[in-house]
């Protein structure tokens, strides 16, 4: 149990039950609401037959496994006929007043072929099995609901309480309830003490109970889906090895090892020579391959574990449940069958269940059932009453489906299925997919392929050149056949090793490493990344559309000013000008109220509110909207408000209109003790002022006196609203109006419920009670964060529901509003044409009084103009805007579950400064990839050219870099450098540059300058050492030992140049300090220590395995002196202006294209028939193999489908009929490489 306890939130209360036209027919039935203590009652929905589509069979429902004979609608997953079909006889809906009343209990709950195991639970103390509970939603079935005994039957059978919820001290359930006991409970009189709620002053244990809900978890499971089985470390090792090039290299190394052993053991060495050591190279290659595989596998394993941890964090959230009579916040994973959960607008429903009661609950079930209409819910007890009365209709819907969204209303529901047994759980179990690659990963994979193709071409050319030389000298070769075979294998191994080095498989790995590192660090910075692509996209954001409340402000609201009617102004601290207007203090203003005026104010504050009392961190507080909690605090301090539950006790709510971000207000209708009705409205002051035609006067009198709101009085109130707004206060107006009856005469009502009036018909001629100003202080550091965004080339816009004056004042305070900026209101903005919007948007800085649709339109137009847009949102209606944006930020504290699911990143602290952190880490990811790309391409060019030229020029056709040496270089490139360069944490200086355009090339001009410049330097140094080293150092070319020393110097120098060049690649700009922040990156330091230590150890003990010789201090000095100047050379390259380098590259590119095009066209003509013949052969082989395999498989394949069928998913429906796993072959196109200036 969590320590955050909330006192039970009595949403609204009744003193008498609502009367219906038809009495309850069962004499034994007693309405359960009579047994509910008033302080905790939630009134039943006033509707009796509410709108919605037929519940009998959801055509296309993703939950259904069956095809019912009544609807003949093919369900999402199965073609199995339901057990309730009556031997192909169709029962039409017009044959009965209620189409399910001819089904017996056994038929309604009969298991299907695919889910029989769900109906069998050993030693269950509960009346119902998971399978029986699922029948209510498979598809929605009132027949199954009736067979289970309705809400009372479920309450009894699940051994819970629809009012008090589960007991927090429950471990095991000792009493066993039979099916008959539970279902009969619905038709018997409820005991007087049933459903008794623990009193509010009784301490309810919230400690962790060992084995809590043991029986419930055993029978119904918990609300977790089984974790997707991650790859074992051995599987990751196998995947790392399962590379064709590595496999070929391994096979060649095994053959080389075998031949070497044969030479050493099976042949007599020449006089004066020891046994052959050629076998050492083969063994060394095998060891090197093993090391590469182990390091790669461990790298992947670490990455997998990081993403698993992030996914668990992403899926966890808090939901409000009632346990032991108190509302508590619990993890969504801890929801149990039998729990009573709260429903509020914006909630994402975590488990299946039955609606208990509430007001105006409408759900979006399109993601669960495909039903596009908002489904209005009817209380479970009312549905039971209608079934018993015989007046039930197909529109009655008490079913709450997991995965759906609450669009509006408040209420509670009883959980009946969780986890894998829930509708959403079954779907998710069947639709689990691998994580998609991000756009940057796709780009780099494409580039890696083309670099690999070029490297493979170079290796192939080298192999054929050396092969021709080998064959040409074969006749004059007097060596033994084993030695000749060994020579050929050496040629093959060198060529294959060049491919290993040339293929930059580390590029996509670098992205993944950078993303995993960044997302972990971003979580520490209060950014929970839900979609990886958002991390890299955020680095290139060009504009942010931010909310005001809670993001730019602290969301800690306090009432500091107001005006009662149009006369009595009050403020917490009045300035000189206000004192001249006789502005009084807040306590003095409320002391003037008479008892009836005080009651009216109190009702407007307490009854017309969804906030409630609770506890957080052991302290009593108000839970809910910060605006409403501020008003409750005012009511408590100035109006003497007692406990909220007691204030709401005894008040009969007739109709409730929840707050909506489009309307900007909320309302409630209550029945007064006199029998009249009172409508109370609270919301945006400037909107509600237009609905007021009178004002409350003489607040000290014993009666409520009203007078017409004159133009002068309206102007005075309007001026007060503007003054509050200029002080950055949120202005809230309170209106009321009394009616003799409800619905009023002449007011239209809902077709499905004649007791619910259309609000538009009654919301007029209201009386102004008061306008209050609520202060929400600016967050610390917001102005600095906005300035950082602007310096980084990211324009910040405020999109808020507040009025223009308040929005402008706050936008100016935090630096968003400039003198040239444009401020608009949502109603005016949405009336503009697209062209007008496109002209106004570049100057738009504040959009006030905006609706969620205005926000979505703004985001869409910004994207149309080529902007990369980030947007914040917290409400349910913000979902479309969050989805439309390139990166959507939802609020972790104030955001609804719908907003969180629609977003890509969740701000855990609702703070704008956290968005700046996201920009920094996004840019860091892109920079990390660019750094690694620059480093790897440099090594690729140098290693391949050096190995190619040295092998071709060598008399014995040996490369100066042996296969084992090249594998060590490959390990440095693909793993160590990726880890080192991908883990640089960003600094604030990363915000000193403009965002990278969407279509910018991966390799900039500055990067090409460094790549080609460093490659030239390294090749010059190594070629000088290789070809002229003997002359410079005085080594005899006939001395094999000295030549080995020279080769060792070349290899050592080459590796040290890569180590030093890694430092060069820490910067992507032309600044010179390459060591900036290096002390803060422990990964970089440790990895470089490992590389240096590894290189030193190789030189000292590598010996025959690496085909090197230990060198002395002088030779070490030569290596370091030759390698170290690459740091100085990088300074020279950085001083070359990028525009000059771009001009040179452009000229070279044109010359290359002019020479290469004819050659490429000739190769295309030559190889096109070969490629076509290969595709035909491949297609024929695949089809033949498929036919053979099909003939070998048994015809009865139902056994293989059992698991899928049991989960309710037919995976085959998602697969392509041609080739579900193999993507279509696409023509290969080289990646566009654009030269851009940094």
């Amino acid at each position: 149990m969590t320590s955050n306890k909330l006192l039970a939130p009595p949403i609204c209360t009744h003193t008498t039950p609502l009367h219906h036209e038809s009495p309850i027919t069962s004499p034994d039935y007693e309405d359960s609401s009579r047994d509910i203590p008033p302080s905790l009652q939630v009134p039943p929905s006033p509707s009796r037959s509410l709108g919605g589509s037929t519940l009998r069979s959801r055509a296309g429902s993703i939950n259904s496994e069956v095809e019912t004979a009544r609807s003949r609608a093919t369900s999402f997953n199965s073609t199995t006929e339901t057990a309730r079909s009556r031997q192909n006889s169709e029962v039409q809906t017009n044959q009965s007043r209620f189409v399910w009343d001819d089904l017996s209990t056994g038929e309604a709950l009969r298991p299907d072929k695919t889910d029989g195991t769900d109906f069998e639970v050993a030693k269950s103390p509960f009346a119902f099995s998971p399978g029986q509970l699922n029948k209510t939603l498979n598809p929605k079935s009132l027949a199954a609901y009736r067979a289970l005994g309705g809400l009372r039957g479920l309450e009894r059978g699940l051994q819970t309480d629809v009012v008090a919820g589960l007991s927090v001290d429950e471990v095991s359930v000792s009493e066993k309830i039979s099916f008959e006991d539970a279902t009969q409970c619905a038709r018997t009189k409820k005991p007087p003490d049933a459903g008794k709620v623990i009193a509010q002053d009784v301490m309810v244990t919230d400690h962790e109970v060992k084995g809590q809900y043991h029986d419930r978890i055993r029978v119904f499971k918990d609300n977790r889906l089984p974790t997707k089985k991650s790859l074992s470390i051995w599987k990751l090792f196998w995947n790392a090895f399962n590379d064709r090039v590595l496999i070929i290299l391994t096979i060649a190394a095994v053959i080389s090892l075998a031949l070497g052993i044969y030479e050493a053991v099976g042949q007599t060495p020449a006089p004066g020579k020891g046994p052959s050591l050629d076998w050492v190279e083969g063994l060394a290659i095998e060891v090197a391959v093993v090391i590469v595989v182990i390091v790669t596998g461990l790298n992947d394993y670490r990455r997998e574990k990081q993403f698993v941890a992030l996914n668990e964090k992403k899926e966890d959230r808090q939901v409000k449940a009632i346990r032991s009579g108190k509302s508590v916040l619990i993890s969504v994973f801890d929801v149990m069958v039998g729990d009573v959960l709260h429903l509020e607008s914006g909630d994402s429903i975590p488990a299946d269940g039955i609606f208990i009661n509430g007001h105006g609950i409408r759900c979006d079930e399109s993601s669960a059932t495909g039903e596009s209409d908002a489904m209005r819910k009817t209380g479970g007890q009312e549905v039971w009453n209608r079934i018993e009365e015989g007046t039930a209709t197909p529109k009655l819907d008490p079913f709450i489906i997991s995965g759906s969204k609450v669009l509006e209303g408040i209420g509670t529901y009883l959980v009946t299925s969780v986890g894998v047994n829930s509708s959403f759980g079954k779907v998710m179990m069947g639709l689990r997919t691998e994580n998609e690659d991000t756009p940057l990963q796709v780009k780099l994979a494409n580039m890696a392929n083309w670099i690999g193709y070029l490297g493979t071409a170079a290796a192939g050319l080298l192999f054929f050149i050396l092969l021709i030389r080998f064959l040409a000298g074969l006749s004059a070769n007097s060596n033994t056949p084993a030695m000749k075979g060994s020579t050929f294998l050496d040629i093959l191994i060198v060529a294959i090793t060049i491919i290993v080095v040339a293929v930059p498989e580390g590029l996509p790995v670098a992205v993944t490493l950078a993303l995993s590192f960044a997302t972990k660090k971003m979580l520490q910075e209060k950014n929970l990344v839900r979609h990886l692509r958002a991390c890299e996209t955020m680095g290139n954001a060009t504009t942010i559309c931010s909310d005001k409340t809670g993001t730019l402000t602290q969301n800690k609201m306090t009432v500091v000013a107001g005006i009662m009617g149009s006369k009595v102004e009050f403020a917490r601290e009045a300035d000189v000008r206000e004192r001249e207007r006789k502005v009084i203090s807040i306590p003095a203003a409320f002391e003037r109220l008479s008892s009836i005026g005080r009651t009216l104010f109190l009702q407007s504050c307490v009854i017309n509110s969804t906030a409630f009392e609770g506890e957080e961190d052991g302290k009593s507080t108000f839970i809910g909207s910060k605006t409403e909690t501020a008003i409750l605090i005012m009511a408590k301090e100035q109006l003497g408000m007692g406990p909220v539950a007691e204030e709401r006790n005894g008040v009969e709510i007739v109709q409730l209109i929840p707050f909506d971000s489009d309307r900007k207000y909320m309302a409630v209708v209550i029945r007064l003790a006199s029998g009249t009705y009172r409508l109370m409205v609270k919301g945006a002051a400037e909107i509600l002022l237009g609905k007021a035609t009178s004002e409350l006067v003489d607040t000290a009198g014993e009666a409520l006196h009203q007078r017409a709101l004159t133009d002068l009085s309206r102007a005075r109130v309007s001026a007060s609203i503007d003054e509050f707004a200029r002080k950055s206060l949120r202005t809230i107006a309170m209106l009321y109006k009394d009616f003799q009856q409800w619905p009023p005469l002449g007011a239209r009502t809902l077709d499905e419920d004649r007791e619910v009036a259309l609000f538009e018909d009654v919301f007029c001629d209201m009386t102004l009670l008061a306008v209050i100003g609520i202060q929400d202080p600016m967050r610390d550091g917001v102005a600095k964060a906005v300035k950082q965004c602007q310096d980084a080339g990211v324009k910040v816009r405020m999109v808020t529901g507040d009025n223009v004056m308040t929005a402008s004042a706050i936008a100016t305070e935090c630096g968003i509003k400039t003198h040239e900026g444009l401020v608009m209101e949502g109603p005016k903005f949405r009336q503009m044409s697209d062209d007008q919007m496109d002209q106004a948007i570049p100057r738009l800085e504040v959009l006030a009084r905006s609706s969620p649709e205005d926000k979505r339109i703004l985001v869409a137009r910004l994207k149309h103009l080529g902007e990369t847009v980030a947007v914040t949102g917290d409400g349910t209606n913000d979902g479309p805007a969050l989805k439309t944006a390139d990166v959507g930020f939802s609020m972790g504290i104030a955001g609804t579950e719908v907003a969180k699911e629609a977003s890509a990143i969740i701000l855990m602290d609702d703070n704008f400064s956290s968005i700046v952190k996201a920009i920094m880490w996004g840019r860091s990811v892109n920079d990390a990839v660019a750094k690694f790309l620059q480093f790897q391409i440099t090594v690729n060019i140098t290693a391949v050219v050096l190995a190619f030229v040295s092998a071709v020029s060598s008399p014995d056709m040996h490369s100066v870099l042996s296969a084992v040496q090249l594998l060590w270089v490959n390990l440095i490139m693909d793993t160590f450098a990726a880890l080192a360069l991908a883990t640089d944490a960003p600094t604030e200086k990363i915000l000193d540059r403009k965002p990278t355009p969407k279509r910018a090339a991966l390799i900039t001009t500055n990067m090409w300058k460094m790549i080609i410049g460093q490659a030239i330097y390294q090749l010059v140094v190594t070629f000088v050492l290789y070809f002229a080293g003997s002359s410079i150092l005085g080594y005899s070319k006939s001395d094999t030992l000295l030549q080995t020393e020279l080769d060792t110097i070349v290899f050592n120098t080459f590796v040290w140049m890569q180590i030093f060049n890694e430092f060069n690649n820490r910067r992507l700009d032309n600044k010179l300090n390459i060591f900036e922040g290096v002390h803060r990156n422990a990964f970089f330091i440790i990895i470089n220590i490992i590389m240096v230590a590894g290189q030193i150890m190789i030189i000292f003990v590598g010996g025959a395995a690496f085909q090197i010789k230990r060198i002395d201090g002088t030779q070490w000095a030569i290596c370091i002196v030759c390698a170290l100047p690459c740091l100085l050379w990088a300074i020279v390259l950085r001083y070359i202006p990028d525009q000059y380098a771009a001009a040179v590259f452009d000229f070279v590119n044109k010359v290359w294209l002019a020479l290469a095009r004819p050659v490429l066209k000739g190769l295309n003509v030559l190889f096109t028939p070969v490629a076509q013949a290969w595709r035909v052969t491949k297609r024929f082989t695949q089809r033949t193999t498929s036919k053979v395999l099909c003939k070998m498989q048994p015809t009865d394949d139902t056994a293989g489908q059992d698991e899928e069928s049991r989960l309710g998913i037919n995976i085959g429906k998602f697969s392509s009929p041609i080739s579900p796993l193999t993507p279509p072959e696409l023509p290969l196109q080289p990646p566009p490489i654009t030269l851009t200036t940094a």
Side-chain angles (χ1 to χ4, degrees), residues 107-347:
E107 290 175 316
L109 301 180
R110 183 176 299 167
D112 299 322
K113 292 180 180 179
T114 58
D115 58 5
T117 56
D118 292 341
F119 288 75
E120 301 171 0
V121 180
K123 298 180 180 179
S124 172
F126 305 102
F128 310 121
S129 65
Q132 290 172 325
L133 294 172
N134 285 340
K135 295 300 288 186
T136 59
L137 291 173
N138 193 20
K140 291 182 180 178
S141 170
L142 286 181
Y145 177 66
R146 182 182 63 173
L148 293 173
L151 185 61
R152 288 278 306 280
L154 289 168
E155 178 186 29
R156 176 65 173 157
L158 297 178
Q159 303 204 40
T160 183
D161 191 296
V162 295
V163 178
L166 296 177
S167 169
V168 295
D169 294 316
E170 177 187 316
V171 177
S172 59
V173 180
S174 57
E175 182 185 7
K176 177 175 175 59
I177 304 296
S178 67
F179 183 90
E180 292 73 17
D181 291 340
T183 54
Q184 288 301 317
C185 178
R187 296 178 174 83
T188 58
K189 186 174 181 179
K190 196 171 183 179
D193 59 342
K196 185 176 181 179
V197 182
I198 297 176
Q200 295 298 324
D201 57 351
V202 175
M203 178 61 66
V204 179
T205 59
D206 63 345
H207 57 274
E208 290 289 342
V209 178
K210 187 176 181 180
Q212 190 178 38
Y213 306 124
H214 169 75
D215 280 340
R216 290 186 189 275
I217 296 174
R218 178 178 63 82
V219 175
F220 301 112
K221 298 184 171 50
D222 58 10
N223 201 32
R224 284 179 172 85
L225 296 182
T227 55
K228 187 176 180 181
K229 189 175 181 181
S230 58
L231 297 177
S232 66
I233 186 68
W234 305 109
K235 180 64 175 176
L236 291 172
F237 287 154
W238 173 251
N239 290 344
F241 177 73
N242 198 18
D243 178 85
R244 279 178 291 183
V245 179
L246 273 182
I247 292 174
I248 294 173
L249 181 62
T250 303
I251 294 172
V254 169
I255 298 174
S256 175
L257 177 62
L259 288 175
I261 293 173
Y262 173 73
E263 290 179 12
V265 178
Q267 293 188 351
T268 303
K273 292 185 179 181
S276 173
L277 296 178
D278 288 348
W279 61 271
V280 175
E281 182 182 14
L283 179 61
I285 292 174
E286 296 293 352
V287 173
V289 169
V290 170
I291 293 174
V292 169
V293 168
I294 290 176
V295 173
T296 305
L298 290 175
N299 207 1
D300 291 341
Y301 183 74
R302 172 179 170 273
R303 184 189 64 201
E304 288 265 338
K305 289 299 182 184
Q306 280 190 345
F307 284 134
V308 167
L310 285 173
N311 284 334
E312 288 180 356
K313 178 71 176 175
K314 178 179 70 177
E315 293 171 2
D316 193 11
R317 57 187 171 93
Q318 299 259 294
V319 295
K320 279 185 274 190
I322 300 177
R323 287 185 174 175
S324 294
K326 289 190 176 184
S327 289
V328 292
L329 288 173
I330 64 174
S331 167
V332 69
F333 298 139
D334 295 333
V335 173
M336 300 290 160
V337 169
D339 260 324
V340 176
L341 300 186
H342 286 283
L343 295 172
E344 294 180 9
S345 177
D347 282 350

Side-chain angles (χ1 to χ4, degrees), residues 802-952:
D802 279 342
N803 63 42
V804 172
M805 301 292 293
T806 303
S808 297
I810 294 179
T812 303
E813 184 180 351
C814 62
I816 294 176
K817 174 73 171 63
T818 62
H819 295 295
E820 301 81 15
L822 182 64
V823 179
M824 294 185 67
E825 287 188 306
K828 181 180 178 181
F829 175 77
R830 72 178 73 113
Q831 292 173 0
M832 301 172 70
S833 65
D834 289 347
D835 292 337
Q836 291 174 327
M837 286 184 184
D838 293 345
Q839 292 176 5
I841 283 175
R843 292 179 51 237
L844 180 65
E845 292 177 342
V846 178
L847 186 61
R849 277 293 168 235
S850 64
S851 67
E853 180 61 15
D854 296 331
K855 184 187 290 188
R856 188 199 64 79
I857 293 172
L858 174 61
V859 171
R861 296 314 303 172
L862 283 168
K863 291 184 68 176
H864 175 75
L865 294 174
E867 302 275 5
T868 302
V869 187
V871 65
T872 68
D874 56 6
T876 302
N877 293 339
D878 287 328
L882 292 169
K883 280 289 188 183
T884 304
D886 294 290
V887 181
F889 286 88
S890 63
M891 305 295 109
I893 299 173
T896 63
E897 292 305 322
V898 173
K900 291 176 184 177
E901 289 194 10
S903 65
I905 299 176
I906 299 176
L907 294 178
M908 306 300 289
D909 59 353
D910 292 9
N911 194 340
F912 183 83
S913 299
S914 298
I915 299 179
V916 179
K917 297 292 185 182
I919 295 175
M920 293 171 60
W921 278 107
R923 293 189 176 188
S924 176
V925 167
N926 293 327
D927 284 359
V929 173
K931 293 172 187 177
F932 180 74
L933 185 62
Q934 181 174 301
F935 174 79
Q936 179 151 49
I937 293 179
T938 304
V939 183
N940 272 2
I941 293 174
T942 310
V944 171
V945 173
L946 179 60
F948 185 95
V949 173
S950 61
V952 171

Side-chain angles (χ1 to χ4, degrees), residues 360-594:
I361 290 289
R362 287 181 180 270
C363 294
D364 175 11
E365 297 176 353
S366 57
S367 61
T369 66
E371 178 60 61
S372 59
D373 294 335
M375 306 302 297
R376 186 162 186 173
K377 302 301 177 180
T378 310
Q381 192 58 54
E382 183 175 347
V383 171
W384 175 263
N385 297 344
R386 297 287 299 277
I387 292 175
E388 292 297 292
E389 294 168 6
T391 59
T393 70
K395 293 184 178 181
L396 291 176
D397 186 358
F399 305 108
I400 304 296
I401 300 179
S402 55
S404 57
K405 313 293 187 300
V406 181
L407 298 179
E408 61 181 49
I410 53 177
T412 56
Y413 81 101
L414 175 66
V415 175
T416 58
S417 294
V418 295
V420 294
N421 293 318
S422 66
S423 306
F424 188 66
K426 289 185 176 183
V427 173
M428 294 307 294
M429 286 297 292
L431 298 181
R432 287 185 167 182
T433 57
E434 297 292 333
N435 292 328
E436 294 183 358
D437 289 338
T438 68
L440 189 56
Q441 285 174 315
V442 173
K443 285 182 182 179
L444 287 176
N446 191 27
M447 175 171 283
N449 287 337
W450 278 100
I451 295 174
Y453 294 152
L454 294 176
T456 303
L461 181 61
L462 173 65
F463 176 74
F464 281 111
I465 291 175
L466 297 182
L467 180 62
I468 291 171
R469 286 181 56 187
F470 172 73
L471 295 176
L474 200 59
S475 58
N477 193 336
S478 59
N479 291 330
T480 63
M483 295 180 67
K484 293 177 182 178
S486 178
T487 304
F488 171 77
L489 280 176
D490 289 343
I491 296 173
L492 178 62
I493 287 173
V494 169
I496 295 173
T497 309
I498 287 179
I499 297 176
V500 173
V501 175
V503 175
E505 63 269 19
L507 282 180
V509 173
V511 188
T512 308
L513 284 173
L515 286 172
S516 63
F517 180 75
T519 49
K520 183 179 180 181
K521 293 295 184 181
M522 286 176 70
L523 185 59
Q524 298 173 3
E525 302 279 2
K526 306 301 181 182
N527 284 271
L528 175 58
V529 179
R530 300 184 68 252
H531 303 299
L532 284 180
R533 65 175 58 214
C535 188
E536 64 188 47
T537 305
M538 194 59 206
N540 301 324
T542 58
T543 184
I544 300 172
C545 299
S546 174
D547 282 339
K548 176 186 74 69
T549 304
T551 308
L552 300 173
T553 60
Q554 296 180 17
N555 205 17
K556 296 179 180 178
M557 300 193 182
T558 309
V559 177
V560 296
I563 179 172
M564 296 182 184
S566 62
K567 299 291 186 183
V568 182
E569 296 184 65
F570 57 90
R572 184 174 61 182
E573 297 176 358
D575 56 27
V576 176
R577 190 162 56 95
E578 288 175 335
R579 284 196 291 270
E580 291 176 355
R581 296 203 322 265
K582 297 182 179 179
V583 176
I584 62 177
S585 67
I586 295 177
F590 284 96
E591 285 174 1
R592 293 187 177 190
L593 293 175
S594 64

